[in-house]
């Protein structure tokens, strides 16, 4: 149970919400510690290896046949929706989705709390994407207050709520898959510790770059470069968080100036869906200083990786998609997301040990 009103819970700073959330939900990137991140990466690797073997894939599909998931996406999505769906399939879960709130009872004026309470009457996990930055907190509070509990290995738990993106602020599972991609891409040079990472584009409303910035508290001697036009620069709350965790950061006025210094480049799209009337006027054009050009590949360090959470538009020259260069990792990054989401679900339902134990048999 949760002994606090919804309004009081929403009003709490994230750090004060975490003792309530424990490992019952995934809502904020700040909730993760280094040991958990390492564990998730190991588990994602194990699932990926096992699944290559048909018998291993069958074993995985038998793990959660008694569990059902709802993927509730009140905002557009391709990757997060599909990768969660695929991950759930790989683990044998039953799946349902609500993708268009116009054909759900939300359109009749049902509150988010009542909708979530309805969802958790039917399923054992809700993955949700919502434009309201508090939607995850509302869903979690509702799940805590509701009577239904799951018994997972003798422990009673509320129905898990996993954020698939909340407003402009948080996309925690994207940040987890980004960590997995960074660790894999930088494996030969010691992983993320001591690396310089340049985040480019719309940092102000980019929930992926914000969540990834929070996770940097877990790594040693990381430096962040923020390459964005002033109107899209990283917001003060993130800068304050980084300062509190002694993570050096600097603004960059032209991404080309820092390319040869950094170990990873993380591009993002201008998130103009948040602009008033954006659709009528077409998409906002990207400032030239923040477009990744094919020629920049020559300046990048030999181990530097080029990432993007996708979808993208014109912030990366199209020819870069088809160059034969292993440092261009954004297409692999989206597949990494599927394995990371297998790891996230396996951990929640306590079948992670079975996956890890099976690695030797099936890889
Ligand atoms: N990266 C990401 O969240 O992509 P989708 O919007 O396609 O889910």
């Amino acid at each position: 149970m949760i002994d606090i009103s919804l309004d009081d819970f929403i009003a709490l700073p994230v750090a004060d919400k975490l003792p309530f959330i424990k490992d019952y939900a995934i809502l904020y990137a700040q909730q993760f510690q280094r040991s958990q991140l390492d564990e998730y990466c190991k588990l994602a690797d194990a699932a990926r290896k096992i699944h290559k073997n048909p018998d291993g894939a069958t074993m995985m599909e038998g793990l959660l046949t008694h569990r059902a998931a709802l993927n509730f996406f009140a905002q557009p999505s391709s990757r997060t929706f599909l990768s969660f769906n695929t991950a759930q399939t790989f683990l044998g879960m039953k799946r349902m989705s609500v993708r268009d709130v116009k054909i759900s009872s939300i359109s009749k004026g049902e509150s988010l709390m009542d909708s979530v309470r309805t969802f958790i009457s039917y399923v054992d996990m809700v993955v949700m994407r919502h434009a309201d930055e508090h939607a995850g907190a509302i869903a979690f509070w509702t799940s805590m207050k509701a009577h239904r509990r799951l018994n997972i290995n003798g422990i009673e738990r509320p129905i898990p709520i996993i954020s698939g993106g909340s407003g402009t602020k948080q996309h925690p599972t994207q940040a987890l898959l980004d960590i997995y991609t960074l660790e894999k891409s930088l494996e030969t040079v010691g992983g993320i510790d001591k690396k310089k990472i340049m985040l480019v584009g719309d940092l102000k409303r980019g929930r992926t770059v914000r969540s990834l910035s929070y996770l940097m508290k877990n790594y040693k001697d990381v430096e962040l470069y923020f390459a964005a036009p002033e109107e899209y620069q990283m917001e003060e709350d993130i800068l304050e968080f980084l300062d509190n965790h002694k993570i050096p950061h600097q603004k960059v006025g032209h991404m080309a100036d820092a390319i040869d210094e950094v170990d990873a480049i993380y591009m993002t799209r201008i998130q103009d869906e948040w602009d008033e009337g954006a659709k009528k006027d077409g998409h906002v054009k990207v400032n030239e200083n923040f477009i990744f050009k094919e020629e920049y590949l020559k300046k990048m360090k030999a181990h530097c990786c080029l990432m993007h959470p996708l979808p993208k538009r014109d912030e990366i020259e199209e020819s870069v998609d088809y160059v034969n260069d292993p440092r261009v990792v954004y297409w692999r990054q989206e597949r990494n997301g599927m394995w990371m989401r297998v790891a996230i679900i396996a951990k929640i339902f306590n079948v992670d040990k079975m996956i890890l134990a099976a690695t030797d048999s099936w890889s």
Side-chain angles (χ1 to χ4, degrees):
M1 282 292 284
I2 188 166
D3 200 13
I4 178 172
S5 74
L6 175 61
D7 286 346
D8 287 348
F9 182 64
I10 288 175
L12 289 176
V14 170
D16 295 341
K17 286 190 176 90
L18 299 186
F20 291 100
I21 295 172
K22 301 189 176 79
D23 64 348
Y24 296 155
I26 296 183
L27 304 182
Y28 303 105
Q30 296 95 308
Q31 72 190 82
F32 296 105
Q33 305 303 320
R34 174 67 181 264
S35 58
Q36 292 170 291
L37 300 176
D38 291 347
E39 206 179 329
Y40 277 127
C41 291
K42 192 172 163 194
L43 192 51
D45 265 344
R48 168 178 235 143
K49 273 187 199 147
I50 292 168
H51 202 267
K52 285 189 201 308
N53 181 299
D55 292 333
T58 304
M59 183 283 291
M60 270 178 42
E61 269 169 42
L63 291 175
L64 293 176
T65 50
H66 59 310
R67 297 293 186 196
L70 174 73
N71 298 315
F72 167 45
F73 279 63
Q75 281 187 297
S77 168
S78 294
R79 279 144 284 270
T80 312
F81 178 79
L82 289 172
S83 62
F84 264 114
N85 262 267
T86 316
Q88 289 151 1
T89 312
F90 285 176
L91 289 164
M93 297 182 86
K94 315 286 183 295
R95 292 164 295 122
M96 281 159 260
S97 61
V98 173
R99 297 206 71 177
D100 183 355
V101 293
K102 288 200 288 301
I103 56 164
S104 83
S105 285
I106 293 170
S107 67
K108 300 176 203 161
E110 187 173 55
S111 68
L112 184 58
M113 283 182 293
D114 285 1
S115 297
V116 169
R117 192 140 187 190
T118 303
F119 299 155
I120 63 177
S121 300
Y122 305 130
V123 299
D124 307 310
M125 176 177 90
V126 177
V127 179
M128 63 184 280
R129 169 170 290 189
H130 205 284
D132 181 347
E133 68 174 279
H134 300 303
I138 295 169
F140 168 73
W141 184 91
T142 306
S143 177
M144 290 293 279
K145 282 284 188 195
H147 62 280
R148 189 160 170 250
R149 289 286 178 270
L150 298 181
N151 185 311
I152 301 177
N153 287 52
I155 298 167
E156 298 284 314
R157 296 175 54 115
I159 311 302
I161 307 291
I162 303 180
S163 167
S166 288
T168 57
K169 305 288 186 210
Q170 287 277 353
H171 197 347
T173 68
Q174 175 73 43
L176 294 176
L177 80 88
D178 292 338
I179 288 293
Y180 182 43
T181 302
L182 281 164
E183 288 287 29
K184 285 183 91 61
S185 304
L186 300 171
E187 200 171 14
T188 56
V189 287
I192 299 173
D193 291 325
K194 300 186 184 155
K195 298 301 182 297
K196 296 179 170 147
I197 301 172
M198 176 156 63
L199 307 176
V200 188
D202 188 348
L203 310 181
K204 186 185 172 73
R205 302 169 300 182
R207 54 194 174 194
T208 64
V209 280
R210 289 176 54 89
S211 292
L212 187 57
S213 298
Y214 283 128
L215 286 187
M216 288 302 133
K217 75 176 164 75
N218 294 294
Y219 296 89
K220 288 191 207 96
D221 302 325
V222 168
E223 280 186 50
L224 292 179
Y225 291 55
F226 297 135
E230 207 44 50
E231 66 270 30
Y232 298 127
Q233 260 297 351
M234 194 57 99
E235 289 206 295
E236 205 50 48
D237 60 334
I238 298 285
L239 304 184
E240 200 178 307
F241 178 89
L242 296 172
D243 290 340
N244 290 342
H245 288 85
K246 301 195 170 20
I247 300 169
H249 53 88
Q250 57 180 285
K251 289 183 186 175
V252 177
H254 193 314
M255 68 174 296
D257 295 340
I259 283 190
D260 56 353
E261 286 175 42
V262 297
D263 304 287
I265 300 167
Y266 191 106
M267 302 296 298
T268 63
R269 168 180 67 81
I270 302 294
Q271 314 273 312
D272 53 12
E273 63 270 34
W274 299 102
D275 290 337
E276 281 293 323
K279 285 278 177 291
K280 284 187 213 101
D281 306 339
H283 290 298
V284 171
K285 233 182 133 33
V286 193
N287 178 321
E288 274 292 310
N289 291 2
F290 308 101
I291 295 177
F292 187 94
K293 313 239 165 67
E294 188 179 346
E295 70 197 54
Y296 294 168
L297 289 167
K298 293 193 203 95
K299 292 178 151 197
M300 275 166 59
K301 289 182 185 176
H303 63 260
C304 179
C305 55
L306 178 63
M307 298 171 65
H308 195 306
L310 302 176
K312 64 182 174 60
R313 286 201 299 263
D314 44 7
E315 60 277 7
I316 297 181
E317 262 185 10
E318 207 172 284
S319 59
V320 178
D321 284 353
Y322 299 101
V323 293
N324 187 14
D325 188 325
R327 298 172 301 169
V328 177
V329 300
Y330 41 85
W331 300 112
R332 272 177 280 154
Q333 183 181 351
E334 62 179 6
R335 191 162 171 83
N336 288 344
M338 181 182 74
W339 297 118
M340 179 49 77
R341 284 161 178 145
V342 169
I344 289 166
I345 299 168
K347 188 80 191 145
I348 285 174
F349 290 103
N350 205 30
V351 293
D352 51 314
K353 287 167 201 71
M354 281 137 125
I355 293 176
L356 290 173
T359 325
D360 292 339
S361 315
W362 304 112
S363 54

